[in-house]
Amino acid sequence: MSTITALQVGESLADVQLNPVSRLDLIKYAGASGDFNPIHTIDEEATNAGLPGIIAHGMWTMGNLAKLFTPYVEEGFIKDYSIRFRGMVFLNDVITLKATLAERNENTLTFTVVALNQHEKEVVKGHIVFQEA
C-alpha cells in the first residue's frame, strides 16, 4: 500500500464506490444523527414535499467522504473539511467518492473531494485538509 504522504499534487487517492443507497442506510443514519426528517425515510412524505422520492441526508454523503482517508489513519487525520451540496442522492444511487491532491504545505495536504452518482453528476464537492502525524 502506498502512503498518503508520498502523493504529488495532481495525484489521486483510490476511489471508493459505495453500495447502492438503501432505505436501511438512511434509517440507520437518521437514528445515529437524530435527523428524523421524514423526507429521508418515508416515500409519501418525500412526494408531499415535492421530491420524486426519498433523499439521503446530505450529511450522510458528506460523512462517507471520510472513507477515502480511512486507509491512512496511521499517517495523520482530517484537520478541516469544507463541502458544498451540489445535488440530491436518491435510493439505489451508487455513489463514487474521489480525492485529488490539490496542494501541499509543510505537514498538510489539501485535497479536492467529490461524490458522484452513477450518472457522473456531482452531488457533493469540496476540500479536505489532511494533517500529517
Side-chain angles (χ1 to χ4, degrees):
M1 177 176 100
S2 64
T3 65
I4 198 168
T5 57
L7 283 177
Q8 299 300 311
V9 171
E11 293 182 326
S12 298
L13 299 178
D15 293 354
V16 173
Q17 187 175 76
L18 303 177
N19 291 327
V21 178
S22 72
R23 188 179 308 269
L24 185 57
D25 290 333
L26 303 182
I27 290 169
K28 287 178 179 179
Y29 186 81
S33 69
D35 181 351
F36 295 103
N37 187 325
I39 65 169
H40 301 303
T41 55
I42 302 171
D43 297 305
E44 185 178 352
E45 293 294 330
T47 55
N48 287 344
L51 299 167
I54 67 172
I55 60 171
H57 305 74
M59 297 301 285
W60 177 87
T61 308
M62 180 183 171
N64 272 300
L65 279 168
K67 290 180 179 179
L68 289 160
F69 297 87
T70 302
Y72 310 103
V73 68
E74 293 181 7
E75 294 183 61
F77 57 93
I78 293 173
K79 179 180 179 180
D80 194 19
Y81 206 156
S82 171
I83 64 102
R84 290 212 179 261
F85 300 108
R86 312 269 304 179
M88 290 183 269
V89 174
F90 297 95
L91 281 182
N92 300 313
D93 277 358
V94 177
I95 304 301
T96 300
L97 312 171
K98 298 176 177 276
T100 302
L101 183 59
E103 186 178 333
R104 294 182 73 92
N105 289 315
E106 294 185 22
N107 293 335
T108 62
L109 306 172
T110 301
F111 289 85
T112 299
V113 292
V114 64
L116 303 169
N117 69 14
Q118 66 275 15
H119 306 293
E120 297 293 312
K121 181 176 185 261
E122 290 180 356
V123 293
V124 172
K125 185 174 185 175
H127 293 92
I128 288 180
V129 177
F130 186 86
Q131 176 72 48
E132 294 177 18

